[in-house]
């Protein structure tokens, strides 16, 4: 049963009365959600389709086999949860559970009402300010209405495994899953921003992401060095590495951790973030007037700017093709054959030595939801 928040944050933080999730949503996430919300009857159809999901069973499972956060159980987490809902002005506090699990993880799921689940490993891994950002992340998912679509994705993923022996059925479901996964990754970037708005401590958000990547060895890690890893990942290598990056990320639910950290830092330094902190942000009572075309325009502008400014070798090659650069065939042959000629170097945007790590096996997927 949800409760109405009555407490204020433990320390003074800016509050955002009536804030719309559009204020912090990633452009690609926002355009997809606005489109879905504008489609007449979409939620009804989606929930009808999701009737196969035993949501009552899911809720009973957490109620019976996890610890529900309250004033009597994990009270410090309960205070953080109410603080997060107070800051983002979420009227009903979602129920939150702590589940025994060695994997640091958190999630916001549910069809009728969102529920938040955090694992014991995550609680043990993070300090108070880091955990505050994670809970804000999950409350951001709730405010954005992500829980419904995330639950559907979890269901479809399991269904695809069950139907793997039916080629056509599995292919159709996998196509939907691929589209939802692309949105899911962008929704994580949105929720990271919500976590920053709640915690209002960028260094704590960075520390939390570093711990998800490297464990509880903060004294051995450095934020600047961690962000440099993201820069090396985004800019390094040649076209072959760029293709491998696409192949390693397309089935993931989350962007890579270093990339999340770099994206969040860029947003924290942006004018958009500062305007929100100054009290200038879209309100929920304006959501009905949100324009689908404006959302698409924002997304198109974002991707156009990202493509124009990207230092990724593949994007450099795409820009060359769009610009009508000559001898692209020769440059492509040189690139993918590992040639060291000037054409391959230019297409890759880096020396051939930087491509030597592209064929290493990708690390196992870390699907932490925080």
């Amino acid at each position: 049963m949800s409760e109405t928040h009555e407490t204020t944050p433990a320390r003074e933080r800016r509050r955002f009365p009536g804030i719309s999730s559009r204020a912090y949503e990633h452009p690609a996430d926002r355009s997809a959600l606005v489109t879905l919300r504008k489609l007449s009857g979409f939620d009804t159809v989606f929930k009808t389709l999701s009737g196969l999901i035993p949501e009552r069973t899911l809720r009973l499972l957490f109620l019976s086999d996890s610890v529900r956060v309250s004033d009597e159980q994990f009270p410090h987490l309960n205070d953080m949860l109410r603080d997060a809902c107070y800051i983002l002005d979420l009227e009903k506090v979602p129920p939150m559970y702590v589940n025994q699990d060695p994997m640091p993880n958190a999630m916001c799921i549910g069809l009728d009402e969102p529920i938040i689940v955090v694992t014991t490993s995550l609680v043990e891994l993070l300090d108070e300010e880091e955990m505050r950002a994670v809970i804000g992340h999950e409350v951001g998912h709730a405010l954005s209405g992500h829980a419904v679509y995330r639950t559907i994705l979890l269901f479809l993923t399991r269904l695809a495994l069950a139907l793997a022996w039916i080629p056509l059925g599995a292919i159709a479901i996998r196509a939907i899953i691929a589209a939802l996964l692309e949105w899911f990754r962008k929704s994580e970037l949105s929720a990271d921003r919500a976590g920053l708005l709640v915690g209002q401590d960028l260094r704590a958000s960075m520390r939390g992401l570093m711990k998800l990547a490297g464990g509880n060895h903060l004294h051995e890690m450095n934020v600047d060095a961690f962000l440099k890893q993201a820069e090396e990942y985004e800019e390094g290598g040649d076209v072959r590495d760029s293709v491998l990056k696409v192949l390693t990320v397309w089935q993931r639910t989350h962007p890579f951790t270093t990339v999340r950290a770099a994206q969040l830092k860029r947003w924290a330094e942006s004018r958009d973030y500062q305007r929100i902190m100054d009290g200038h942000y879209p309100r929920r009572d304006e959501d009905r007037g949100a324009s689908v075309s404006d959302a698409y325009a924002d997304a198109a502008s974002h991707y156009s700017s990202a493509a124009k400014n990207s230092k990724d070798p593949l994007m450099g090659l795409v820009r060359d093709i769009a610009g009508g650069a000559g001898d692209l065939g020769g440059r492509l042959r040189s690139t993918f054959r590992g040639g060291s000629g000037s054409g391959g170097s230019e297409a890759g945007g880096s020396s051939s030595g930087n491509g030597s790590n592209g064929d290493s096996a990708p690390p196992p997927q870390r699907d932490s939801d925080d």
Side-chain angles (χ1 to χ4, degrees), residues 21-22 24-25 29 33 36-37 42-43 46-47 90 108-111 113-114 138-152 183 187 287:
S21 60
R22 291 181 292 120
Y24 58 79
E25 284 166 351
D29 172 21
L33 286 178
L36 289 174
R37 292 163 181 165
F42 175 82
D43 281 340
F46 221 41
K47 288 186 178 182
L90 188 64
C108 179
I109 56 175
L111 298 174
E113 290 185 359
E138 300 305 329
V139 170
H141 278 314
L143 182 58
S144 287
H146 289 163
V148 172
Y149 312 115
R150 295 164 74 85
T151 306
I152 290 292
W183 162 76
S187 78
D287 281 351

Side-chain angles (χ1 to χ4, degrees), residues 141-220:
H141 278 314
L143 182 58
S144 287
H146 289 163
V148 172
Y149 312 115
R150 295 164 74 85
T151 306
I152 290 292
L153 177 58
L154 291 173
F155 169 70
L156 288 178
T157 301
R158 293 176 183 175
L159 185 60
L161 292 174
L163 298 180
W165 60 279
I166 307 177
L168 292 180
I171 289 173
I173 292 174
R174 284 171 185 163
I176 298 173
I177 290 174
L180 280 172
L181 281 172
E182 171 61 19
W183 162 76
F184 200 111
R185 289 188 291 272
K186 296 303 185 292
S187 78
E188 284 302 303
L189 300 178
S190 297
D192 283 345
R193 296 174 177 185
L196 178 59
L197 290 176
V198 167
Q200 298 175 25
D201 184 344
L202 179 61
R203 302 294 287 191
S205 294
M206 294 291 105
R207 292 198 310 268
L209 289 169
M210 282 198 304
K211 285 184 177 180
L212 289 176
N216 194 16
H217 304 281
L218 202 58
H219 62 288
E220 299 281 358

Side-chain angles (χ1 to χ4, degrees), residues 6 22 26-27 40 57 59 80 101 107 136 168-169 174 208 213 217 226 239 259 268 289 295 348 358 363-364:
E6 297 176 352
R22 291 181 292 120
H26 187 279
S40 177
T57 302
R59 291 178 181 274
M80 291 184 203
D101 195 316
M107 59 183 173
L168 292 180
R174 284 171 185 163
H217 304 281
F226 189 66
V239 174
V259 175

Side-chain angles (χ1 to χ4, degrees), residues 292-308:
V292 175
S293 59
D294 286 347
Y296 278 129
D298 287 345
S301 175
H302 165 79
Y303 282 121
S304 175
S305 176
K308 181 179 179 180

Side-chain angles (χ1 to χ4, degrees), residues 263-319:
Q263 290 263 3
L264 184 60
K265 185 173 184 293
R266 280 196 286 267
W267 187 70
E269 294 171 348
S270 72
R271 186 168 177 267
D272 289 340
Y273 174 73
Q274 190 56 55
R275 283 180 57 81
I276 295 173
M277 297 304 292
D278 290 340
H280 305 293
Y281 51 82
R283 262 65 173 181
R284 250 167 275 163
D285 55 14
E286 302 167 351
D287 281 351
R288 289 189 177 183
S291 167
V292 175
S293 59
D294 286 347
Y296 278 129
D298 287 345
S301 175
H302 165 79
Y303 282 121
S304 175
S305 176
K308 181 179 179 180
N309 298 318
S310 175
K311 297 180 181 179
D312 182 88
L314 182 60
M315 291 308 303
L317 183 60
V318 170
R319 288 195 298 268

Side-chain angles (χ1 to χ4, degrees), residues 328-354:
L328 285 174
R331 293 168 64 182
L332 281 171
R333 285 193 296 273
S334 178
T335 295
F336 286 99
R337 288 175 182 172
S340 58
S342 61
S345 175
E346 290 172 6
S350 62
S351 64
S352 59
N354 289 338

